[in-house]
């Protein structure tokens, strides 16, 4: 994308109240994640140190979000959880894009047997319910954050491949691509210069929205005991452990759950506005 | 004058399958046995209604569509079936200018990069000077260099497309209705530009159009197409002053006359009906369904070409 276009898009996004809210939340999360050791009131407890004298205390001025079954400060752990969640969001979507976009471009532009192989492979991946596939890969690879990220990324790429392949197919018929080909420009250069820049907008939108879903699914994996392992502070894991306490100690699963909810909504707000701006048919309204 | 392009019995059929399970296929005969040649430095206009196959003819000559039959010669060398790798070198000398200039420019590249791209391929030195030179030769200025296609007008976009084509020093250009998407005032500018470039550089044009007044202005020879066939071909004077095919006459009649007094004097002859579907072309002469002078034989037998004057051919049983 052009530099001044990015600035233009950012300006519009800031003018739109909902997307501004989304941006503010995401920026706040990034700051919280970066400064977690300084913000969290009990960083040691966030890292897992038990504090058994203060088990399951309700929210108070000492522990704003209450404490969990080991007496650890829930607020501190939610703050530290932002680090994991953002890492997961970026890593999963990044991995998905890294695999999905080049394959989609190649399949769409080249067609023929390359297209057939890539598309049948995506069909195999897409025939599983997404979480189930991630679950399968995760189980195979073993527990842990890295494996969860790999599992999610690997189950994610076919969506981007399909999306960008469709774009590539329609773009390769464009006269400017035809001209480039007639002037002897190589396929590789055509893909990089002509197809990719014009096909990437919907993928950016999808990727932004998917960051929310990635956090949600990573939480689900943690919830099922596959992703992040205790005592690491992770939102999904906290909801999972807290669910047994929901009736008597509501604050324990509620605050990490809220954190997931707010983050997912924020990414969706930003993605939605991005889509409206980058869609050429809706674009004139803004520019 | 030497010949640069020769087309012999060119055919392009598109395949249509009927239904999902049926094995029956239908051919859309977009270009059906078309022959002509163009001399160096000449403009041949290809005229016809929508669906007459004129654009398909142009694209097939450049092998943007693979021809179904017939032969294409470029500078005396047959290029119909030569392998892609070999064709690549020849293909650079044949460029196309499109009807919609905006879609022929990558919206994410600025003008400089659009024009510089083929130059980089050809390993030119001093690309910046060369781009500027090309811009100036199509009447654009340095200040346009770093704009994007959506920041300039349609006429300027078409100039950029022309400048890009000039960069590879082509010999033959297919102009696919290059002005029909532009305002009338801009149309004239682009036509003048194309004409001047032709004089300066000796380009050969295949000018595809449905606008007869534009054709008369820019071309030396005209071919009238109908349902994938050339009905009449000759010099501009021959075809416009002495049309022999009933279809040509009706087409010429339908050109709007700017003077209302003149309009009244002229007898009204309107081309009846629409062009038949090329999926179900009529038997015999393809034009007999709309022809005012059609007789029994027209329905049964396809007419051969008749040379009424030197270089003026008509495909009709009853020319004149």
């Amino acid at each position: 994308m052009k530099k001044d276009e990015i600035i233009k898009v950012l300006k519009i996004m800031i003018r739109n109240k909902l997307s501004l809210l989304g941006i503010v939340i995401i920026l706040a999360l990034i700051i919280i994640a970066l400064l977690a050791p300084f913000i969290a009131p009990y960083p040691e407890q966030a890292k897992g140190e038990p504090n058994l004298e203060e088990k399951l205390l309700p929210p108070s001025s000492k522990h704003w979000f209450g404490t969990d079954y080991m007496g650890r400060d829930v607020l501190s752990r939610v703050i530290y959880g932002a680090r994991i969640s953002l890492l997961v969001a970026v890593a999963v979507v990044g991995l998905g894009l890294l695999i999905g976009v080049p394959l989609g471009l190649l399949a769409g532009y080249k067609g023929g047997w390359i297209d057939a192989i890539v598309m049948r492979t995506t069909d195999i991946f897409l025939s599983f319910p997404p979480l189930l596939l991630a679950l399968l890969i995760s189980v195979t690879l073993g527990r842990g954050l890295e494996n969860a990220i790999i599992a999610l990324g690997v189950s994610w790429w076919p969506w981007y491949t399909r999306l960008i392949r469709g774009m590539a197919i329609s773009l390769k018929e464009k006269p400017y691509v035809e001209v480039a080909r007639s002037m002897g420009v190589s396929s590789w250069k055509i893909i990089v210069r002509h197809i990719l820049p014009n096909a990437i907008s919907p993928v950016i939108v999808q990727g932004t929205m998917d960051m929310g879903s990635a956090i949600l699914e990573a939480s689900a994996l943690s919830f099922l005991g596959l992703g992040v392992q205790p005592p690491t502070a992770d939102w999904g894991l906290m909801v999972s452990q807290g669910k047994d306490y929901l009736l008597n100690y509501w604050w324990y699963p509620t605050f990490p759950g809220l954190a997931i909810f707010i983050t997912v909504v924020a990414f969706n707000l930003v993605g939605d506005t991005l889509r409206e701006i980058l869609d050429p048919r809706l674009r004139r309204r803004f520019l | 004058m030497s010949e640069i392009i020769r087309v012999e019995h060119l055919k392009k059929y598109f395949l249509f399958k009927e239904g999902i399970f049926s094995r029956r296929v239908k051919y859309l005969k977009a270009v059906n046995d078309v022959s002509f040649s163009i001399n160096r430095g000449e403009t041949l206009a290809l005229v016809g209604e929508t669906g007459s196959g004129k654009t398909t003819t142009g694209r097939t000559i450049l092998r943007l569509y693979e021809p179904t039959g017939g032969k294409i010669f470029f500078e005396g060398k047959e290029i119909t079936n030569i392998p892609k790798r070999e064709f690549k070198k020849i293909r650079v000398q044949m460029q196309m200018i499109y009807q919609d200039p905006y879609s022929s420019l990558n919206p994410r590249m600025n003008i400089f990069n659009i024009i510089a791209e083929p130059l980089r391929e050809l390993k030119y030195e001093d690309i910046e000077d060369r781009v500027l030179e090309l811009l100036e030769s199509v009447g654009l200025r340095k200040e346009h260099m770093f704009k994007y296609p959506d920041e300039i007008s349609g006429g300027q976009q078409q100039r950029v497309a022309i400048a890009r084509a000039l960069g590879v020093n082509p010999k033959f250009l297919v102009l696919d209705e290059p002005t029909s998407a532009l305002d009338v005032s801009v149309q004239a500018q682009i036509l003048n530009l194309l004409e001047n470039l032709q004089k300066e550089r000796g380009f050969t044009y295949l000018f595809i159009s449905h606008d007869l007044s534009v054709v008369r202005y820019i071309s030396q020879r005209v071919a009238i197409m109908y349902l994938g066939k050339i009905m009449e071909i000759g010099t501009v004077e021959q075809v416009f002053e002495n049309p022999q095919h009933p279809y040509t006459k009706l087409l010429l009649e339908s050109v709007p006359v700017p003077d209302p007094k003149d309009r009244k004097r002229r007898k009204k002859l309107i081309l009846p009906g629409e062009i038949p579907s090329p999926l179900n072309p009529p038997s015999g002469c393809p034009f007999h369904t709309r022809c005012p002078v059609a007789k029994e034989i027209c329905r049964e037998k396809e007419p051969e070409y008749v040379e009424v004057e030197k270089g003026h051919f008509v495909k009709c049983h009853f020319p004149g």
Side-chain angles (χ1 to χ4, degrees):
Chain A
M1 244 195 283
K2 305 179 272 190
K3 211 185 253 169
D4 53 322
E5 202 176 86
I6 296 175
I7 294 167
K8 229 188 244 173
V9 167
L10 276 179
K11 270 186 189 162
I12 298 163
M13 304 222 17
I14 287 167
R15 239 182 288 144
N16 179 316
K17 276 178 198 151
L18 279 178
S19 75
L20 179 63
L21 182 67
I23 291 175
V24 168
I25 293 172
I26 293 169
L27 283 179
L29 277 170
I30 293 172
I31 293 169
I32 288 171
L34 289 175
L35 302 180
F38 307 102
I39 299 173
Y42 304 95
E44 290 313 313
Q45 293 178 14
K47 283 175 195 156
E49 192 186 81
N51 174 26
L52 296 170
E53 290 95 68
E54 296 183 306
K55 269 203 295 192
L56 297 167
L57 292 181
S60 64
S61 55
K62 198 178 173 202
H63 300 288
W64 289 6
F65 288 1
T67 60
D68 67 5
Y69 75 106
M70 299 246 269
R72 295 172 301 199
D73 182 46
V74 173
L75 174 62
S76 302
R77 291 180 67 77
V78 167
I79 288 173
Y80 265 79
R83 296 183 138 190
I84 305 268
S85 292
L86 288 181
L87 172 72
V88 163
V90 172
V92 167
V93 173
L95 184 62
L97 290 174
L98 211 63
I99 306 171
V101 169
L103 280 176
L105 286 171
L106 206 63
Y109 184 74
K110 282 287 182 187
W113 61 269
I114 298 179
D115 187 34
I117 292 177
V118 172
M119 281 303 103
R120 293 302 76 76
T121 315
T122 65
D123 285 346
I124 295 170
F125 277 84
L126 292 175
S127 62
F128 291 94
L131 189 58
L132 184 65
L133 182 62
L135 214 63
L136 276 173
I137 302 171
S138 209
V139 169
T140 320
L141 293 175
R143 299 163 175 224
L145 180 62
E146 290 84 14
N147 289 340
I149 288 172
I150 292 170
L152 285 171
V154 166
S155 64
W156 220 288
W157 67 268
W159 298 99
Y160 301 130
T161 302
R162 290 236 149 216
L163 197 60
I164 207 148
R165 169 184 174 264
M167 293 295 293
I169 286 176
S170 75
L171 286 169
K172 78 173 173 185
E173 303 293 333
K174 289 267 180 189
Y176 57 81
V177 175
E178 216 169 75
V179 170
R181 222 180 296 145
S182 81
M183 289 175 166
V185 181
S186 65
S187 300
W188 187 80
K189 281 182 191 161
I190 289 177
I191 288 176
V192 172
R193 278 190 213 146
H194 297 283
I195 310 279
L196 178 63
N198 288 295
I200 200 71
S201 302
V203 180
I204 292 176
V205 173
Q206 191 62 42
T208 311
M209 298 235 220
D210 283 351
M211 291 200 175
S213 317
I215 293 174
L216 207 59
E217 293 211 0
S219 301
L221 284 185
S222 307
F223 181 90
L224 295 170
L226 282 164
V228 180
Q229 296 304 307
T232 315
D234 172 79
W235 297 343
L237 194 60
M238 289 164 79
V239 174
S240 162
Q241 290 173 337
K243 69 176 190 301
D244 301 331
Y245 301 87
L246 179 63
L247 287 180
N248 299 318
Y249 314 99
W250 60 270
W251 55 88
Y252 183 6
T254 302
F255 287 108
L258 269 177
I260 296 173
F261 170 72
I262 290 170
T263 312
V264 173
V265 167
F267 276 111
N268 273 304
L269 286 177
V270 173
D272 254 343
T273 320
L274 256 183
R275 178 175 59 202
E276 281 184 44
I277 298 170
L278 294 179
D279 185 334
R281 279 162 302 169
L282 301 169
R283 196 174 172 188
R284 297 271 166 235
R285 287 207 330 238
F286 296 97
L287 300 185
Chain B
M1 273 205 287
S2 64
E3 209 172 74
I4 189 157
I5 280 280
R6 165 172 284 281
V7 176
E8 286 177 1
H9 307 290
L10 188 69
K11 294 190 184 78
K12 177 64 196 174
Y13 297 170
F14 293 101
L15 208 66
F16 274 82
K17 288 201 180 79
E18 284 195 335
I20 302 170
F21 302 109
S22 137
R23 280 286 169 104
R24 270 205 310 160
V25 287
K26 269 198 163 178
Y27 291 105
L28 190 153
K29 300 181 176 177
V31 179
N32 195 359
D33 200 354
V34 161
S35 304
F36 59 79
S37 65
I38 313 176
N39 291 323
R40 205 175 289 274
E42 184 186 48
T43 302
L44 172 73
L46 214 50
V47 182
E49 291 169 84
T50 309
S52 59
K54 48 193 196 302
T55 299
T56 312
T57 307
R59 293 179 65 89
T60 311
I61 293 173
L62 301 185
R63 281 182 63 189
L64 290 168
Y65 297 141
E66 286 302 320
T68 312
K71 287 176 177 167
I72 306 162
F73 297 88
F74 178 73
E75 295 192 308
K77 185 179 181 343
E78 187 177 347
I79 56 165
T80 328
N81 288 314
I82 61 173
K84 283 243 160 85
R85 190 161 301 178
E86 201 181 326
F87 182 61
K88 229 178 163 178
K89 287 175 209 137
I90 298 171
R91 179 66 176 82
V92 180
Q93 303 174 45
M94 309 156 78
Q95 287 298 322
M96 180 143 169
I97 301 295
Y98 293 81
Q99 177 173 8
D100 174 12
Y102 183 67
S103 70
S104 72
L105 307 175
N106 182 344
R108 305 229 174 257
M109 274 165 104
N110 65 23
I111 307 304
F112 176 82
N113 283 323
I114 286 172
I115 298 178
E117 181 174 37
L119 303 179
R120 291 194 186 111
E121 285 307 311
L122 296 174
K123 312 256 182 310
Y124 269 96
E125 311 238 320
D126 305 322
I127 284 179
E128 264 179 62
D129 295 344
R130 179 104 174 107
V131 170
L132 190 60
E133 192 187 313
L134 287 168
L135 272 180
E136 280 167 356
S137 68
V138 296
L140 292 173
R141 290 180 306 277
K142 197 174 185 176
E143 66 205 58
H144 295 112
M145 205 141 86
F146 295 104
K147 293 202 166 182
Y148 284 83
D150 56 354
E151 294 167 343
I152 58 178
S153 71
Q156 289 169 335
Q157 287 166 4
Q158 197 60 293
R159 285 170 195 271
V160 172
I162 294 169
R164 173 179 55 188
L166 294 183
V168 297
N169 286 320
K171 291 177 178 163
F172 172 60
L173 284 149
V174 173
L175 310 172
D176 186 4
E177 311 209 28
T179 57
S180 62
L182 307 174
D183 289 342
V184 181
S185 57
V186 184
Q187 278 188 15
Q189 293 170 15
I190 296 291
L191 290 173
N192 281 333
L193 171 67
L194 289 168
E195 220 182 8
N196 291 335
L197 289 170
Q198 184 174 38
K199 273 184 207 138
E200 281 166 30
R201 303 175 188 227
F203 288 153
T204 308
Y205 291 150
L206 177 65
F207 189 88
I208 297 167
S209 178
H210 57 252
D211 187 336
L212 289 165
S213 44
V214 167
V215 165
R216 188 167 199 169
Y217 173 80
I218 198 161
S219 53
Q220 284 88 52
R221 280 167 65 230
V222 191
I224 310 283
M225 273 191 88
Y226 188 79
L227 278 179
K229 290 178 193 287
I230 291 180
M231 307 309 274
E232 180 163 5
I233 184 168
T235 64
V236 166
E237 292 77 33
Q238 287 168 345
V239 174
F240 278 82
E241 303 303 334
N242 185 21
Q244 293 295 311
H245 199 285
Y247 179 58
T248 315
K249 287 181 192 166
L250 285 164
L251 270 187
L252 290 172
E253 286 287 342
S254 64
V255 176
V257 178
D259 185 0
K261 282 182 216 149
D262 206 35
R263 209 181 291 160
K264 267 181 211 154
R265 261 195 295 124
R266 207 171 62 163
K267 48 184 192 296
K268 260 289 186 242
L269 264 175
I270 296 170
L271 191 58
E274 301 228 341
I275 193 163
S277 161
L279 273 173
N280 276 316
S283 61
C285 172
F287 188 57
H288 83 254
T289 52
R290 300 165 78 189
C291 183
V293 298
K295 302 230 165 59
E296 198 59 35
I297 184 175
C298 302
R299 202 169 307 145
E300 286 152 11
K301 192 167 167 284
E302 190 177 327
E304 297 293 320
Y305 286 103
V306 185
E307 188 166 14
V308 285
E309 301 166 74
K310 193 180 179 304
H312 186 182
F313 292 88
V314 189
K315 192 183 184 68
C316 183
H317 290 298
F318 309 103

